[in-house]
Amino acid sequence: MSYYVIYDGNCNLCVTLVKFLETLDQGRMFLYASMQDEQTLAQWNITSQDCQQGMILIDANAPERRWQGSDAAEEIGKLLPLGSLFVDAYRAIPGMKWAGDRFYEQIRDNRYTLFGKRDTTYQSTYCVDGGCKVGHD
């Protein structure tokens, strides 16, 4: 089973998290496309307005199945080894899901102020379209 992670390639925090996932997964389960890659996103009818609501996770085998924002982060967590134990525990604590959603929204809406904006868009080694650009960092 594989998934597409749509991330903000200009956000320092987002890129750091993608690099972490790349190291853990090495392209076995997750492939990546930046929110700035409008041509790739168009194949799933994702607009720049859609991207304003945060990262997106798409089930590659059933593209109609998708998660966004904190739900996408939680689903990625569940897919990682032993991750579902942590996500299930987090969700079982009353009020944590609501608080986590609000926390995600604050980070999402202030990510450039809090973590900075990159000068160039990060392109993953494990990109969705297979035409990954050489020279990513």
Side-chain angles (χ1 to χ4, degrees), residues 34-58:
S34 76
M35 292 179 177
Q36 291 74 24
D37 185 353
E38 294 176 9
Q39 183 178 358
T40 298
L41 299 184
Q43 67 186 326
W44 301 301
N45 298 316
I46 296 174
T47 66
S48 59
Q49 289 88 352
D50 296 328
C51 293
Q52 296 304 312
Q53 298 306 308
M55 68 183 299
I56 301 169
L57 179 68
I58 299 172

Side-chain angles (χ1 to χ4, degrees), residues 17-28 32 126:
L17 294 173
V18 164
K19 287 179 178 182
F20 175 72
L21 277 175
E22 288 172 331
T23 301
L24 280 178
D25 180 62
Q26 299 183 346
R28 288 185 290 271
Y32 307 88
Y126 307 102

Side-chain angles (χ1 to χ4, degrees), residues 58-106:
I58 299 172
D59 182 333
N61 298 316
E64 66 281 358
R65 289 188 58 210
R66 50 181 78 181
W67 302 262
Q68 188 158 20
S70 60
D71 292 335
E74 291 172 20
E75 192 65 26
I76 289 169
K78 285 175 58 176
L79 293 166
L80 296 174
L82 301 175
S84 107
L85 292 172
F86 295 102
V87 173
D88 291 344
Y90 157 81
R91 288 181 175 170
I93 299 170
M96 280 302 286
K97 172 70 172 142
W98 180 87
D101 290 349
R102 302 299 79 74
F103 182 73
Y104 181 92
E105 290 166 5
Q106 288 300 309

